[in-house]
Amino acid sequence: MDWIRSQTEIESELLQIEQSFFNPLVSYDKTIAFCQNTLEEYRSKVIKNGFTDEASEIQFFKKEKPFVYGLLLQYTHQLTFELDVPNITYGRDDDFVNEKMQEVTAFLSSHKDIVLYLELESKAFDSQFFLRKNRGLVTYPGHHNYSFDSQFCTSHDGLIAQILGYQGFQQYLQNKLDMSVPNRSDSKLSFPQIQWTGSKVALTELGFALYHSGAINHGNASLKMVMRLLQQVTATDLGDYHHTSIRLRNRSNPTKFIDKLKNSLLNWMAELDS
């Protein structure tokens, strides 16, 4: 299925769109349109070409479509949030964010069995959940036509997309709360004050290594989430880290910083044994 775009490529294009517009309303409108166009491209290819086997169909409806559809839902949630913000009484921003956070948490909790299924990378019910021929068993519709087209949906891909969309929105809301933490004298949520004294390239290399290792959230954390975490912890703006990754790949030693970490740890162990 060479028509499927990589998740890294999609995230890169979305990041470029976000950085191209100062107004978040315009930014989210453009990102939503991008996701819609991508899904339409996927739909036409699926209807025209189908799948070579059931494994390919399961992969598409379990991973590829929910990834894009989930981003569409996430940006829709964020756009709705930003539209509602101007109507909030001054000083009640945190209350509004917490209210939304409770709604998201309630949804994820009500589907914790499916969330666990994804986090554990289970496959026991894949044929039931992600094959179109079994769509009639149970169907969890989303908010768009992508969950009702019988040729382009299964019983659970819409639900998976909703979960991913809410998880992304949850991170967005958490970032909103974290931004207000320094203004709270009784806060216990702020990170300890540390200073990243290495290069931004090294930190980017570390971020990509963590993401591709699958060591965070059982591999379900997006690259954007990993990079935002590192930026927040180190108070370092990594800028266009996708562009930086190109520099990494073109170096004579693409894993220069990771190798340094490994050697530092081995040297420490050698000193203990000597």
Side-chain angles (χ1 to χ4, degrees):
M1 297 186 292
D2 55 0
W3 45 270
I4 294 180
R5 309 177 69 177
S6 72
Q7 295 185 4
T8 300
E9 178 186 356
I10 291 173
E11 286 185 328
S12 177
E13 293 203 32
L14 287 171
L15 180 63
Q16 290 181 15
I17 294 174
E18 288 188 64
Q19 294 177 339
S20 299
F21 301 95
F22 178 76
N23 187 333
L25 299 181
V26 177
S27 172
Y28 294 146
D29 180 66
K30 298 296 184 182
T31 53
I32 289 170
F34 172 84
C35 292
Q36 289 175 327
N37 291 335
T38 302
L39 284 170
E40 286 299 328
E41 292 175 7
Y42 281 2
R43 189 177 73 87
S44 64
K45 293 292 186 181
V46 168
I47 293 175
K48 179 180 178 180
N49 303 324
F51 299 96
T52 56
D53 51 37
E54 290 190 345
S56 299
E57 183 174 352
I58 289 173
Q59 170 68 19
F60 178 78
F61 286 110
K62 184 178 183 179
K63 298 287 187 179
E64 310 302 341
K65 179 192 170 185
F67 175 75
V68 181
Y69 190 6
L71 287 170
L72 169 61
L73 295 176
Q74 175 188 336
Y75 285 116
T76 300
H77 293 318
Q78 292 174 195
L79 175 60
T80 302
F81 177 89
E82 293 293 340
L83 286 171
D84 289 339
V85 166
N87 300 319
I88 302 174
T89 304
Y90 179 77
R92 293 188 61 249
D93 296 46
D94 280 7
D95 292 340
F96 183 69
V97 174
N98 283 318
E99 179 183 329
K100 291 295 180 182
M101 185 72 84
Q102 290 174 7
E103 293 177 9
V104 173
T105 301
F107 177 87
L108 295 176
S109 296
S110 67
H111 296 290
K112 58 185 178 182
D113 54 334
I114 302 298
V115 173
L116 185 62
Y117 185 87
L118 294 175
E119 291 185 348
L120 295 180
E121 299 182 355
S122 299
K123 299 180 180 179
F125 300 103
D126 278 4
S127 61
Q128 177 181 329
F129 290 167
F130 306 111
L131 289 179
R132 289 169 295 174
K133 67 180 183 181
N134 294 326
R135 177 176 179 268
L137 298 177
V138 180
T139 300
Y140 293 92
H143 305 293
H144 297 265
N145 291 334
Y146 309 114
S147 291
F148 296 96
D149 187 335
S150 61
Q151 298 184 72
F152 192 57
C153 69
T154 64
S155 67
H156 279 64
D157 69 269
L159 176 59
I160 302 304
Q162 288 186 69
I163 289 173
L164 295 178
Y166 272 122
Q167 287 177 334
F169 185 46
Q170 184 180 53
Q171 182 62 48
Y172 165 86
L173 293 173
Q174 187 60 57
N175 289 342
K176 290 286 187 183
L177 291 174
D178 290 343
M179 288 174 62
S180 64
V181 164
N183 297 323
R184 304 176 193 168
S185 59
D186 60 342
S187 172
K188 297 181 180 180
L189 299 176
S190 58
F191 289 108
Q193 295 298 312
I194 64 172
Q195 180 181 7
W196 178 261
T197 55
S199 68
K200 290 185 179 181
V201 175
L203 187 59
T204 301
E205 181 184 333
L206 177 62
F208 273 89
L210 288 172
Y211 169 68
H212 287 289
S213 71
I216 299 178
N217 288 353
H218 302 283
N220 292 314
S222 69
L223 177 61
K224 183 187 296 185
M225 290 173 62
V226 174
M227 289 304 188
R228 281 182 176 175
L229 174 64
L230 292 180
Q231 289 181 123
Q232 188 175 9
V233 172
T234 63
T236 302
D237 182 3
L238 293 177
D240 187 353
Y241 46 81
H242 290 286
H243 180 73
T244 305
S245 71
I246 297 176
R247 293 171 54 192
L248 289 174
R249 295 198 301 271
N250 291 334
R251 292 188 310 190
S252 58
N253 180 11
T255 58
K256 180 179 179 181
F257 183 63
I258 301 301
D259 291 345
K260 179 180 179 181
L261 291 179
K262 176 182 177 181
N263 291 331
S264 297
L265 182 60
L266 290 175
N267 289 338
W268 170 71
M269 291 179 176
E271 290 176 359
L272 291 179
D273 294 335
S274 62

